[in-house]
């Protein structure tokens, strides 16, 4: 059972670079050491605050055990009274998102997790991908999502054979030329990656996976991985790819517009795109 009083760090400690770096990396060994340093709490005190055994805290601090589950990250955040900006660095949803303070917890549930990048969301994405009946992808090239043997979703798709719907950038479009220039690649190299992903999707279809793929001609802005009703959303910028931007896990909510908006955008983009698989 957790200690309701928790462990309190001074406000300035949350701004220390080693604390913020540990949260971004989800390095709980480094984080617990910082908690001990700046709060004076013992491992026993941290264990009581987070509902862990003292031996488990010791293993985490010594690096012999890693924290990987969302539930445990939440317990740690609650136990050390983590402020919202720190929670977001760790990949957790803020407790009081700006502009939603008037809503109940169920109303804020549309935005259920925030990750500093796709890599921090991998355990949750892979867990849901293994159970999904429908996989939706809105990407640019899609190589890291479905186009390579070791890409994010390809092993799950091959194993569980969900219905797969993919939207990729049209390699011959003006938008493809613009995107290639933005990230400093030649158009030939950039478009070649898209064509490779299309061919790899055709291979999945030939192997019996239910696949449909379309190409769109808009400058990429959003990158969306839909696993049944759960969306993982990130953005493309002028200097970064979607997998390096912050990622948001979004679920449908009667009080929220984000989930409905991204679904509507993807459906309209698919309706107006050119089917290639």
């Amino acid at each position: 059972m957790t200690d309701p009083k928790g462990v309190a760090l001074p406000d300035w400690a949350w701004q220390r670079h080693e604390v913020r770096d540990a949260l971004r990396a989800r390095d709980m060994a480094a984080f617990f050491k910082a908690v001990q340093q700046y709060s004076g709490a013992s491992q026993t005190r941290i264990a009581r605050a987070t509902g862990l055994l003292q031996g488990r805290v010791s293993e985490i601090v010594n690096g012999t055990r890693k924290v990987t589950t969302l539930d445990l990250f939440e317990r740690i955040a609650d136990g050390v009274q983590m402020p919202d900006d720190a929670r977001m660095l760790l990949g957790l949803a803020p407790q009081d998102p700006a502009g939603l303070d008037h809503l109940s917890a169920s109303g804020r549930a549309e935005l259920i997790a925030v990750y500093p990048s796709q890599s921090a969301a991998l355990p949750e994405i892979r867990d849901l991908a293994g159970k999904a009946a429908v996989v939706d992808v809105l990407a640019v090239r899609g190589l890291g999502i479905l186009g390579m043997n070791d890409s994010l979703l390809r092993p799950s798709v091959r194993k569980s054979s969900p219905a797969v719907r993919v939207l990729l950038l049209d390699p011959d479009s003006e938008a493809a030329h613009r995107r290639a220039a933005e990230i400093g690649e030649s158009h030939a190299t950039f478009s070649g990656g898209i064509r490779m992903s299309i061919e790899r999707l055709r291979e999945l279809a030939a192997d019996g996976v239910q696949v449909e793929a379309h190409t769109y001609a808009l400058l990429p802005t959003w990158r969306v991985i839909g696993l049944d009703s759960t969306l993982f959303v990130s953005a493309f910028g002028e200097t970064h790819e979607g997998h390096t931007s912050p990622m948001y896990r979004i679920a449908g909510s009667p009080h929220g517009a984000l989930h409905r908006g991204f679904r509507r955008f993807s459906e309209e983009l698919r309706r107006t795109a050119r089917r290639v698989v």
Side-chain angles (χ1 to χ4, degrees):
M1 180 177 295
T2 59
D3 185 331
K5 295 182 180 179
V7 171
L9 275 69
D11 290 343
W12 56 263
W14 294 108
Q15 303 306 315
R16 295 283 300 182
H17 69 86
E18 65 269 30
V19 173
R20 300 181 75 80
D21 288 348
L23 292 173
R24 288 190 187 94
R26 286 188 160 183
D27 181 350
M28 292 298 98
F31 178 67
F32 277 169
K33 290 173 184 176
V35 169
Q36 290 180 284
Q37 179 178 355
Y38 296 125
S39 73
S42 65
Q43 290 185 4
T44 300
R45 178 74 172 126
I46 293 172
R48 286 202 303 265
T50 57
L52 294 169
L53 297 174
Q54 189 276 328
R56 183 65 53 82
V57 173
S58 177
E59 290 174 342
I60 293 170
V61 170
N62 292 331
T64 58
R65 183 180 292 271
K66 292 186 179 296
V67 178
T68 59
T69 65
L70 186 62
D71 174 69
L72 189 47
F73 284 122
E74 287 277 7
R75 286 164 56 188
I76 291 170
D78 291 343
V80 300
Q81 304 173 52
M82 192 176 290
D84 275 352
D85 66 327
R87 288 176 62 88
M88 292 173 69
L89 287 175
L90 186 56
L92 303 177
Q95 292 181 321
D96 294 299
L100 300 182
D101 295 350
H102 62 290
L103 296 180
S104 65
S106 62
R108 295 195 299 269
E110 181 177 36
L111 179 62
I112 57 178
V114 182
Y115 312 89
S117 66
Q118 177 181 283
S119 62
L122 288 181
E124 287 87 349
I125 293 174
R126 286 177 172 151
D127 178 60
L128 291 174
K131 308 169 186 174
V134 180
V135 172
D136 284 307
V137 173
L138 168 59
V140 174
R141 287 179 281 197
L143 287 170
I145 301 177
L146 283 165
M148 307 294 288
N149 288 340
D150 59 351
S151 57
L152 178 59
L153 298 181
R154 196 175 182 93
S156 298
V157 165
R158 293 182 68 91
K159 182 177 181 180
S160 57
S161 294
V164 179
R165 301 187 300 178
V166 183
L167 283 158
L168 300 175
L169 183 60
D170 185 339
D172 297 316
S173 66
E174 186 268 344
H177 285 270
R178 291 177 60 189
R179 183 58 184 166
E182 280 187 340
I183 62 174
E185 287 189 20
S186 71
H187 175 257
T189 301
F190 179 78
S191 62
I194 303 173
R195 298 181 202 281
M196 178 183 290
S197 281
I198 292 172
E199 290 303 317
R200 299 308 306 279
L201 290 170
R202 287 175 176 149
E203 290 176 8
L204 285 176
D207 288 342
V209 179
Q210 183 183 338
V211 178
E212 66 174 82
H214 295 75
T215 56
Y216 63 91
L218 297 177
L219 186 69
T221 301
W222 299 112
R223 182 176 189 263
V224 181
I225 298 172
L227 304 170
D228 290 334
S229 62
T230 301
L231 305 181
F232 291 86
V233 178
S234 54
F236 295 101
E238 294 181 357
T239 59
H240 65 262
E241 297 279 25
H243 68 280
T244 62
S245 89
M247 176 170 272
Y248 304 88
R249 180 173 173 175
I250 300 172
S253 165
H255 301 282
L258 288 174
H259 190 276
R260 292 196 302 273
F262 281 114
R263 283 293 194 196
R264 179 180 172 87
F265 175 76
S266 296
E267 291 296 337
E268 180 63 12
L269 198 61
R270 185 178 297 108
R271 187 187 70 82
T272 59
R274 179 172 63 96
R275 186 163 182 175
V276 293
V277 179

